[in-house]
Every structure is written in structure tokens, then in C-alpha cells.
Amino acid sequence: MIMSSNVSTLLVQAIGALFIGAVFAHFQRAFHHGYLRHWTHSWFAAAAMLAMAAIRNIIRETGEPAGVVYFALGVVTAVAALLRIVWLLFGAWELTADRTVPRARARQLVGAAIVLGAASALLPLLFGQGTVDDGSGAPALVRTMIRAGLGGFAFAAAAVLVLRARPWHAGLGHRLVGISFFAYGAEQVHYVGIALWTWATGHTIGYQPLLNILDFLLQFFMALGMVIWLLEDERRSAVDAATQIEHLAYHDALTGLPNRQLFLDRLDVAIASAHRSGGQLGVFFLDLDRFKLINDSLGHSVGDKLLQVVSRRMRTLLRDDDTVTRLGGDEFTILVPTVEHVDDATAVARRVREALKLPIVIDGRELFVSASIGISLYPNDGDDADTLLRNADTAMYRAKNQGRDTIQLYAPAMNARALEQLTLENRLRRALPNGELELFYQPIVAMQTRRVAAMETVLRWRHPELGLLSPDSFIALAETTGLIVPIGEWVLRTACRQLRQWQEAGLPELRAAVNLSVRQLQQPDFVPLVSEILAETGITSETLELELTESMAMQSDGDTLGKLRELKRLGVRISIDDFGTGYSSLSALRLFPADSLKIDRSFVGDIVTDPDDAAIAEAVIALARSLKLQVIAEGVETREQLEFLRDHQCDYWQGYLFCQPRPASACSAMLSREVMVRQSLGLIRG
Ligand code: C2E
Ligand code: CA
Ligand code: CA
């Protein structure tokens, strides 16, 4: 009678385990959770263990417990018992740690479980000194105690892990699973007690059928809990996905800032509220200066990181009810919903500008950005969202044209300003044919010999109404309109012609340095043009030096690089102008066919007073040395600066200290003195 109750218990449990295993397997196929796979294995192992144990009991009942089959079944039962525990714990661990059990480790532990299980099946041989294990003696007791004890411990541990995997209030499902795991563990421990009691008293317990029901119920709750849990998780991830989709629709993916749509929505609300209260609001349009350059020279990932830092800075700087938006690229807008006075708006813009100016470190590299900001105010500059945004944009463009890093308010005068630019452009178109352009020349002096080595040409426009204009006020316009191409050709030809005169007047080695726009280089016939001008004016290519600003140089593509190399092969010298203001990468610099670097005058200006600028100048010189380039310092205005540069082995210098750019006639006088000095030096030597 004892045996058959045991058999029925085991069979009930086996069916329950099989059922749960099937449920887990089904869900695993649908949800692909790693823990479900482990638990499927665990419950199938449990089913196998229980079924084998039941068959062993039947064999014992029929009185043949000594055969090989009986023993083999014992081994399988023991192994399955351990595997069940190992897999249960794998699943629970994966749930808590949110990581998969490493494959190699999993294999080791499963292997260990198999070996240990098989070894434990040998227990009866040890205990019984050869006697047969009939399931009622000490070996059976030890076996039950180990198996149920381990099971109890494993389920309790799994319960703790499951309950800790989610917050208590996260849902009913995981609580149900956790609690039923715990109860099941307790039931297993209880079986240890029963086994002890049976062994000590020789009586069986009378409430086994109740335990069978409890067992079945617990298995049922585990399965039910798991179903609820998965449904809850599914619902939660659907809700999360919906929130995320909504966020994506209204936010910029890179920076997480609101996008144009959300900005316009909020602007509409703010306009309505300002209208009711009779207040003002401000719309800022911000564009980073030279961002394209950073993107092109340092790569898009650096550009992206920079945009993220800039966004964070603005977000932390502004108040919570201000909206910062990335419209796209390096364009941002800010909505300040309440502005008392115009000065408040400019103060906000100034704060943003200053915050952006602080160095930004990305991948160990320090970057400096500045921004041009345009501001429009409601109701002065527009009474709907579109107009305000458009006018802030216009104001930003004006800021850009005024030399970047500036703030501009939109004002009705803006239209007058646009008109002015147009007029200037029309005039510039006629400047060349009208003979209004002039070249000024500024000497470049060799540090060692103190002799004039080259004359750099700078362009001037004698505007009929505005007087003598410097290039800053029209070169950018000439570049955007393409006028720089014919103008540049004229500059090159005039400079070479002038150089020829000076060379013939006694300075045969004097060079001409000519500023070049990248637009000129992009012309397909630029190289032949240079050869033609050299032939026409009769100067040698070695005495022509072309200056390309660092930012232009770093933007050059394969085509322009090819042309520069061709020019260099012809013997023309190439100089990188305004060095230190762009973002040269060492690798790009190494590939660039330059002969010399010109340290930008902004560093030279503070070389004696600002240790940072001194360090930059020193670094540029060292860099040039390592790349076998010559160094020219421009903008030298004081003796101290010159001495510093001489001490640091700068090759050439240029600046007001020697002389300002002057017309050719004025330079001719200076150069004839130069000829005389050289002759007298020659006389002394001779
Ligand atoms: P750049 O090539 O760097 O030219 C040097 C500028 O620095 C000149 O200004 C010159 O007057 C100024 N400078 C020279 N020495 C000193 C000094 O000691 N102190 C100070 N504070 N400034 C000094 P400029 O003539 O106004 O030229 C401005 C820029 O316009 C030039 O910078 C160059 O990039 C561009 N540019 C001039 N001529 C041409 C041209 O023919 N073609 C092109 N594409 N660009 C030109
Ligand atoms: Ca130059
Ligand atoms: Ca320069």
C-alpha cells in the first residue's frame, strides 16, 4: 500500500512537471527569453526524474529491485534531479543578472551535475555493502534527504532571485511565481521531515493525498504566474515602445532635444499666452560657426559628440520653461516664453554664447566652437510662429555675415541691410572692369638674414562711395558669388607682373606670396592658368608662393589636393595660411603638399603676454619642424614678439613692425633701399 501511494504521488508530480515544462517551452518559442529555456529544461528534467522514480517504485513493488535496469534508472533519476536544480538556478540567475550564463560555464556545471548525480546513485552500494536498495533503508533515506533538501534549497534561492528581479509592485505574475517557488521549496524541505519521520517510526504519513493536491496546485500556480508575468512584460514593453515612438516623433534622436514640430507647438502656446498677458517672448536661432569644418576634418562621430555636448550645455544653462530645439545639422532654436525687455533676450543669448565658448573635450581633443545667434521678439518681429522663426533665422544670417560669434536682433532695418548687401554685390561685379581693385604688398622677412624674402599681396577695393575697403568686407561676398574666380586671376597676374619688375630691379630671388581662394582651385583649368601666367610674366615657379588658409586646406578634396600636388611638382611653393585657427588633423597635414605654415596673427598678438598663445606658437613651430615645413609668423607688431619668435627658431616673419601692406609704388622705394644694402654688403664681402 505504501508503495502505490508513493507511485501515485510521483506520477502526479511528473505529470505536473511535464505540463509546466510544456507551458514554458511554448512561451520560450514565442518570447525567446533565455530563462524560459533553462526552466523548460529544468521542468522536463524534473518530469524525467519523477517518472523514473515512479518506475523504480513499481519495479520494487513487483519485487525485482536488483537488475541492471533498476540501477540504470537510479542513475538517470539522480542525474535528472541535479540537472533540474542547475537549470532552475540558471534561469533565476539570468533573470536577476539580466545576462546569459556563459556557455562554457553552463557546460561545466551541467557536466558536474551529471557526474555528481551518477556518483550519488552509487550511494546504495557503499551504504548497503552490496545489499540491494529496496527504497526503505538508510540509502533511500539519505537519497530522499539529499534530493528533497537540495530541491528545497534551490527553489528557495530561485524564489529570492525571482522576487528580486522585479520590484515588488511590478506585477502580479512574478510575485506569484516567486511565492509558489518558495512554497514549493518549503514543501520539498517538508519531504525531508517526512522521510526522517517514516524512517524513525516506520509509519507513513496519513496526509499524502493532501500533499499531492498541494503539489499539483503549486505547479499550476507557477505556470499561471509565468503566463501572467509574460503578459504583463509584453504589455509594459508595448507601452514603452509607444512612449518611445512618441518621443522620437517629437524629439531629435541625436541630442534628445525637442524637434521642430514640438518647438512650433510650444511656440504657438507661448504666443497665445503672451497675447493674453500682453507680454513679450523671444525666439533665438543659433548656428554653430565652422561646424562643417569640424565634421569634415575630424569626422562625423566627433561632430555628433560635439552636438551632444552643445545641447547639454544649453539645456543646463536655460530655465526649465525655455525650450531648446535642434532643427537639424548644427542649427538650434530656443524659445524663451517670457521676456520683460529686449536686454533680457540679449542677456540670454550672451550667456549661451559664453557657455559654448568654453573648450569642449572630445576623445581627448580640445575643440572650440562659437555660435552666431539671431533673435526675434513677439510681438515686435512677428505675431505667428513661422514669421518669428524666419525672422530669427534672418537675424542669424546677419550675425554670420558680421563675422561669426555674434548676436543680432531682428529689426525692420534688416531689410535695408539685405538691400545693402545686394547693392555691394552689384558694385563688386563692376569693380574689376572699372579698375577699382588694387593690390597692396607686405614684406615677409627672413629671420636670420633680416632680408626681405617675399612680398605678400593683399587686395583692396577703392569703392567709389565707401572709400578704400579691406578684403574682410568683400572677400566673403566675392566667394559666395563666384566673383573671386576672375578677381583671383587678376590678382595672380598683377602680382606676378609686379614681382617680375622687382626681380629685374635687382632682387632676382624675391618671391611673391599670393592669397588663394579654394573656389579658384576648384576651377578645372587652374593649374594651366598658373603655368600660363608664369610663362607670360617670365617669373620662375620657385618664386611664386600660394597661400591657402588652413580651413580651406583641410576642406580640400582629392581633386584640389591633386592640383596642389601638380603645382608643387611645377615648383610652386604652397603655404598654409592662418594656421592654428582650423582643425587640422596630423594625418591630413602630412598628406598636404605644403612648404610652409603661417602662424595665425591671433596667436602672435599675445605671444608675449599669454602663455597659452606662446605654447601654441611653440607647438606650431615644433610641428612644422617635424613635418619639414618652414614657419612664417604673421602680425608681428612689437620687438618682444619678434625676439620671442627668433628665440624659437621661426624662419620668417611679417607684420606692422616691419611695415603695413602698402601700394606697389611705396614698396618699390623700400625695395630699392634693400637692393642698395645688399650691394653694399656684397661690396664689403668682396
Ligand atoms: P591674410 O592672408 O592673413 O593677410 C594678412 C592680413 O593681416 C592683412 O589684412 C594684413 O593687413 C594684416 N596684417 C599684416 N600685418 C599685421 C600686423 O602686424 N598686425 C595686424 N593686426 N594685422 C596685420 P587684410 O589685407 O585685411 O587681409 C585680410 C585677409 O583677406 C587676408 O588675410 C586674406 O585671407 C584675405 N585676402 C587678402 N587678399 C586676398 C586675395 O587677393 N585673394 C584672396 N582669396 N584672399 C585675400
Ligand atoms: Ca595670407
Ligand atoms: Ca594669415
Side-chain angles (χ1 to χ4, degrees):
M1 219 49 232
I2 296 165
M3 297 304 172
S4 49
S5 127
N6 240 340
V7 169
S8 65
T9 305
L10 289 167
L11 281 178
V12 165
Q13 290 181 345
I15 292 167
L18 200 63
F19 168 69
I20 293 208
V23 170
F24 284 169
H26 174 77
F27 280 110
Q28 204 278 327
R29 273 197 297 281
F31 295 98
H32 304 286
H33 290 312
Y35 67 90
L36 282 178
R37 192 167 52 85
H38 292 306
W39 284 358
T40 305
H41 291 166
S42 175
W43 260 271
F44 283 151
M49 166 193 89
L50 294 160
M52 296 303 131
I55 296 171
R56 266 165 64 93
N57 277 6
I58 292 169
I59 293 175
R60 272 207 302 273
E61 253 175 288
T62 53
E64 257 319 314
V68 179
V69 175
Y70 182 78
F71 178 72
L73 285 174
V75 172
V76 174
T77 314
V79 169
L82 278 183
L83 283 178
R84 163 204 208 185
I85 287 165
V86 168
W87 278 322
L88 177 78
L89 291 176
F90 279 0
W93 185 82
E94 286 197 0
L95 247 177
T96 352
D98 213 8
R99 271 187 291 146
T100 50
V101 181
R103 236 164 227 286
R105 174 54 47 89
R107 234 178 279 130
Q108 279 169 3
L109 288 172
V110 167
I114 292 171
V115 172
L116 268 176
S120 80
L122 299 173
L123 271 178
L125 300 182
L126 297 175
F127 270 81
Q129 290 118 10
T131 59
V132 167
D133 171 24
D134 61 0
S136 60
L141 172 69
V142 172
R143 195 179 54 220
T144 311
M145 279 175 60
I146 291 176
R147 205 166 290 167
L150 270 181
F153 166 77
F155 270 92
V160 172
L161 290 176
V162 163
L163 289 173
R164 274 185 20 195
R166 301 276 189 283
W168 178 251
H169 295 290
L172 175 66
H174 93 285
R175 263 180 283 165
L176 199 52
V177 171
I179 292 168
S180 36
F181 271 16
F182 197 81
Y184 194 80
E187 197 202 6
Q188 298 295 308
V189 174
H190 178 218
Y191 278 124
V192 178
I194 294 174
L196 274 175
W197 192 76
T198 306
W199 178 72
T201 64
H203 297 296
T204 52
I205 50 153
Y207 55 96
Q208 186 61 48
L210 270 180
L211 278 182
N212 288 357
I213 293 173
L214 178 66
D215 204 275
F216 202 85
L217 272 181
L218 286 178
Q219 305 252 24
F220 172 75
F221 281 134
M222 283 177 213
L224 182 68
M226 188 48 70
V227 174
I228 298 175
W229 185 351
L230 288 171
L231 287 176
E232 281 171 346
D233 270 4
E234 261 334 84
R235 202 189 78 88
R236 193 169 307 116
S237 51
V239 169
D240 286 353
T243 329
Q244 178 146 22
I245 287 168
E246 192 179 293
H247 186 88
L248 282 177
Y250 288 103
H251 290 81
D252 167 44
L254 179 68
T255 60
L257 291 178
N259 64 10
R260 178 186 219 103
Q261 191 51 51
L262 188 52
F263 181 82
L264 290 175
D265 288 354
R266 291 199 187 159
L267 183 52
D268 281 335
V269 173
I271 288 173
S273 143
H275 178 72
R276 276 193 304 276
S277 65
Q280 294 194 91
L281 65 82
V283 172
F284 298 63
F285 203 109
L286 183 148
D287 187 287
L288 298 183
D289 299 329
R290 301 188 306 179
F291 176 71
K292 186 180 176 312
L293 191 66
I294 294 180
N295 241 349
D296 290 349
S297 54
L298 301 182
H300 285 262
S301 83
V302 173
D304 284 355
K305 285 181 197 158
L306 184 86
L307 290 174
Q308 287 167 338
V309 175
V310 164
S311 307
R312 267 201 302 279
R313 278 199 189 163
M314 285 198 277
R315 199 47 278 173
T316 42
L317 181 86
L318 294 162
R319 285 183 316 205
D320 284 345
D321 52 352
D322 300 337
T323 301
V324 187
T325 305
R326 177 169 170 246
L327 286 192
D330 59 343
E331 287 180 347
F332 295 86
T333 49
I334 301 167
L335 162 65
V336 178
T338 40
V339 173
E340 294 276 317
H341 192 265
V342 188
D343 293 345
D344 301 339
T346 48
V348 170
R350 228 169 263 127
R351 279 211 327 269
V352 170
R353 184 175 71 168
E354 293 316 309
L356 295 189
K357 269 191 175 169
L358 299 173
I360 294 175
V361 180
I362 290 169
D363 300 342
R365 185 199 295 266
E366 253 192 0
L367 297 175
F368 294 86
V369 290
S370 61
S372 303
I373 307 175
I375 308 171
S376 66
L377 296 173
Y378 170 89
N380 273 14
D381 303 330
D383 52 12
D384 64 274
D386 281 335
T387 314
L388 284 167
L389 197 59
R390 195 173 54 243
N391 289 346
D393 188 13
T394 314
M396 185 281 290
Y397 265 97
R398 184 152 65 117
K400 254 234 154 140
N401 284 338
Q402 289 193 343
R404 297 156 203 281
D405 192 22
T406 19
I407 300 165
Q408 278 297 327
L409 282 162
Y410 180 85
M414 280 292 309
N415 294 328
R417 172 79 206 183
L419 211 66
E420 195 178 290
Q421 277 295 97
L422 263 178
T423 326
L424 194 69
E425 184 186 330
N426 289 335
R427 282 229 96 111
L428 187 60
R429 281 181 200 287
R430 288 183 313 220
L432 190 55
N434 286 356
E436 292 164 11
L437 297 182
E438 273 176 42
L439 280 189
F440 276 28
Y441 297 82
Q442 189 182 29
I444 295 175
V445 186
M447 193 68 85
Q448 284 217 311
T449 62
R450 300 170 195 224
R451 305 268 60 91
V452 176
M455 299 292 279
E456 179 181 357
T457 57
V458 283
L459 192 57
R460 296 289 180 266
W461 178 12
R462 213 168 278 281
H463 191 284
E465 284 136 35
L466 304 173
L468 191 66
L469 297 183
S470 70
D472 289 338
S473 51
F474 63 90
I475 287 284
L477 189 62
E479 277 178 338
T480 48
T481 53
L483 282 168
I484 194 70
V485 175
I487 292 177
E489 181 179 338
W490 174 84
V491 168
L492 194 59
R493 186 170 275 117
T494 314
C496 289
R497 212 173 271 156
Q498 182 58 60
L499 179 70
R500 174 70 185 180
Q501 281 186 21
W502 286 329
Q503 287 182 344
E504 284 177 341
L507 295 166
E509 271 136 46
L510 189 70
R511 299 197 297 263
V514 179
N515 291 297
L516 205 64
S517 159
V518 79
R519 287 288 294 258
Q520 290 171 267
L521 258 180
Q522 283 160 355
Q523 300 302 304
D525 56 353
F526 182 70
V527 180
L529 176 74
V530 174
S531 309
E532 185 190 307
I533 292 178
L534 289 174
E536 180 188 304
T537 53
I539 69 164
T540 59
S541 53
E542 288 74 23
T543 53
L544 176 62
E545 194 161 309
L546 296 177
E547 294 192 358
L548 202 62
T549 60
E550 183 188 17
S551 38
M552 284 187 183
M554 289 306 123
Q555 274 178 63
S556 43
D557 52 19
D559 177 55
T560 48
L561 270 181
K563 284 183 191 145
L564 287 169
R565 292 212 181 90
E566 217 177 310
L567 286 168
K568 202 175 152 142
R569 264 198 301 279
L570 287 178
V572 176
R573 297 165 58 93
I574 314 282
S575 225
I576 304 182
D577 206 351
D578 300 348
F579 193 81
T581 57
Y583 291 96
S584 296
S585 69
L586 205 56
S587 52
L589 209 55
R590 203 169 276 136
L591 289 176
F592 197 82
D595 298 277
S596 46
L597 298 181
K598 291 185 86 168
I599 309 178
D600 190 68
R601 60 179 183 274
S602 58
F603 301 115
V604 176
D606 291 328
I607 216 165
V608 208
T609 47
D610 185 340
D612 289 345
D613 283 348
I616 290 173
E618 278 178 53
V620 170
I621 295 173
L623 176 71
R625 287 268 165 282
S626 72
L627 292 171
K628 307 220 165 16
L629 302 176
Q630 294 196 304
V631 190
I632 305 161
E634 60 177 27
V636 180
E637 294 180 354
T638 66
R639 298 228 138 263
E640 291 75 24
Q641 291 165 355
L642 183 60
E643 262 150 37
F644 178 95
L645 292 161
R646 179 176 296 129
D647 289 347
H648 288 85
Q649 271 87 41
C650 182
D651 302 293
Y652 297 95
W653 69 278
Q654 186 183 22
Y656 293 170
L657 181 63
F658 194 89
C659 75
Q660 297 209 359
R662 289 187 286 181
S665 52
C667 291
S668 294
M670 182 267 296
L671 287 173
S672 51
R673 277 197 303 281
E674 179 82 16
V675 174
M676 269 159 34
V677 173
R678 289 193 192 192
Q679 280 169 349
S680 68
L681 280 176
L683 278 178
I684 291 165
R685 265 199 226 112

